Amino acid sequence: MDKHKPALMLNQAEKLLQQGQHLQALPLLEQYTSSQPQDARGWLLLAIALHQSHKLQEALHALENVLSIEPRHLQARNIKAVVLCDLGKLQEAMQVYREALTLAPGDTSLLLNMAIVLEQTGDSTAALEHYDLLLKHHPDHASALLNRGALLLRLGRLQEALHNNRQLATTHSNWEHAHFNLGETLLALEQWQPALAAYTRALEMQPAMAKAHFGRGLALAMLQRFAEAQQALNTAQSLDPAACEQSKLAAAARSGGELHEFNPQVIYLLKQALRLSLCDWSHWQK
């Protein structure tokens, strides 16, 4: 074989992967690793191609080959944990992350992915600890702030979520997801006008963001701007019907009842009824 051919083959395969053409890259990488079995880079790229092709067990085997050549290879360990998660082996994935973090305690990708897996296993406390550790060294890390804010919101820790998501929207002001998360928090806090502004800002950046249209519709409904609210909800429905149905169920749960007829007036009235039911009437003057 031409001594330059393997290098050219590897470069071509890497370019194909970068272009999202993993199926075309796969045979090149299989041929390359067969002829260059001691090249960790070749096995790593093969693992990536196999993972993207949903050949998960084969991807694991390729990653083991990387680690047999370079035992401290952090990217291989990270990808191995991702593959294990895809196989539903979350505990094994966490063990891989723990071992990798002993090699690189401050690695941002490892801390972020470990936090995500901890969330998936239901360990919110440990997940927050890992987000916090990452943010201690990288306070403006976009994904960590985004995930941490969403987790705080799900946990009902609204003021902490608000502080987190305001920081996110300030430091990443051109990211639609930052403004959407801020809108979700403000909506939960019943700050309708600021929530509307946050959703609107997200849509200025990404007009096809169905969930932002939906949130905007809820904020408009609570501001009693019913015609605009209906238009926003209709837009969300047309952009992503399945996601819109899930959002309707979530909105019904937050409003304290079932929405048999989903329209802005019903949303508003149901929310107002919930408020009344939660009032303390013990000091009402009779």
Side-chain angles (χ1 to χ4, degrees):
M1 179 185 290
D2 184 336
K3 65 179 181 179
H4 299 297
K5 187 175 180 181
L8 292 173
M9 188 184 302
L10 187 65
N11 289 336
Q12 183 183 356
E14 189 164 10
K15 287 179 182 178
L16 287 169
L17 283 177
Q18 291 169 352
Q19 296 166 3
Q21 300 182 49
H22 55 274
L23 293 177
Q24 290 83 349
L26 196 53
L28 292 176
L29 290 165
E30 288 172 338
Q31 184 178 350
Y32 178 84
T33 51
S34 177
S35 65
Q36 307 291 321
Q38 294 305 309
D39 187 344
R41 181 66 179 167
W43 286 111
L44 181 71
L45 293 177
L46 177 60
I48 293 170
L50 289 165
H51 180 228
Q52 293 176 353
S53 303
H54 306 291
K55 297 180 177 182
L56 303 183
Q57 293 293 347
E58 293 176 55
L60 278 180
H61 176 70
L63 290 164
E64 292 298 342
N65 285 334
V66 176
L67 293 170
S68 68
I69 300 165
E70 295 185 25
R72 298 175 66 89
H73 199 298
L74 290 180
Q75 189 180 5
R77 290 175 180 272
N78 205 347
I79 297 172
K80 180 181 178 181
V82 171
V83 174
L84 287 167
C85 286
D86 289 345
L87 287 166
K89 299 179 178 181
L90 299 184
Q91 296 300 325
E92 290 182 45
M94 283 198 292
Q95 184 58 35
V96 171
Y97 282 130
R98 289 191 187 99
E99 292 171 359
L101 284 167
T102 64
L103 300 174
D107 186 273
T108 55
S109 294
L110 293 172
L111 286 168
L112 180 67
N113 289 344
M114 180 69 168
I116 292 169
V117 176
L118 286 164
E119 277 197 69
Q120 292 175 335
T121 63
D123 194 343
S124 299
T125 300
L128 284 172
E129 288 174 356
H130 281 75
Y131 288 132
D132 289 343
L133 183 58
L134 195 166
L135 290 166
K136 180 181 179 180
H137 300 289
H138 304 277
D140 295 337
H141 193 286
S143 295
L145 283 170
L146 185 77
N147 291 356
R148 181 178 184 272
L151 177 55
L152 288 168
L153 183 58
R154 287 196 298 275
L155 293 172
R157 294 163 60 173
L158 300 186
Q159 290 301 327
E160 292 174 80
L162 180 62
H163 180 269
N164 181 100
N165 290 335
R166 277 182 171 156
Q167 180 186 346
L168 176 64
T170 299
T171 55
H172 300 279
S173 58
N174 293 321
W175 194 25
E176 65 272 17
H177 296 289
H179 295 282
F180 172 78
N181 268 26
L182 179 58
E184 292 286 275
T185 308
L186 291 164
L187 194 73
L189 286 163
E190 301 188 359
Q191 297 183 27
W192 314 126
Q193 193 66 51
L196 175 62
Y199 289 127
T200 300
R201 182 80 176 103
L203 289 168
E204 288 171 359
M205 300 171 200
Q206 178 50 267
M209 193 179 199
K211 59 185 181 181
H213 283 287
F214 190 91
R216 185 171 181 272
L218 296 182
L220 286 165
M222 295 312 300
L223 291 166
Q224 300 183 63
R225 292 163 59 177
F226 297 130
E228 294 171 81
Q230 188 62 64
Q231 184 177 4
L233 295 172
N234 289 344
T235 302
Q237 179 72 33
S238 64
L239 286 170
D240 193 338
C244 192
E245 288 305 312
Q246 290 299 316
S247 296
K248 286 179 182 179
L249 293 173
R254 289 196 300 267
S255 299
E258 295 183 14
L259 298 180
H260 299 290
E261 183 180 357
F262 198 92
N263 63 58
Q265 291 89 339
V266 170
I267 295 167
Y268 174 79
L269 291 172
L270 189 56
K271 187 68 176 178
Q272 294 301 98
L274 178 63
R275 281 180 169 181
L276 289 174
S277 72
L278 296 176
C279 282
D280 180 3
W281 297 102
S282 61
H283 302 294
W284 183 50
Q285 297 297 313
K286 297 182 180 178

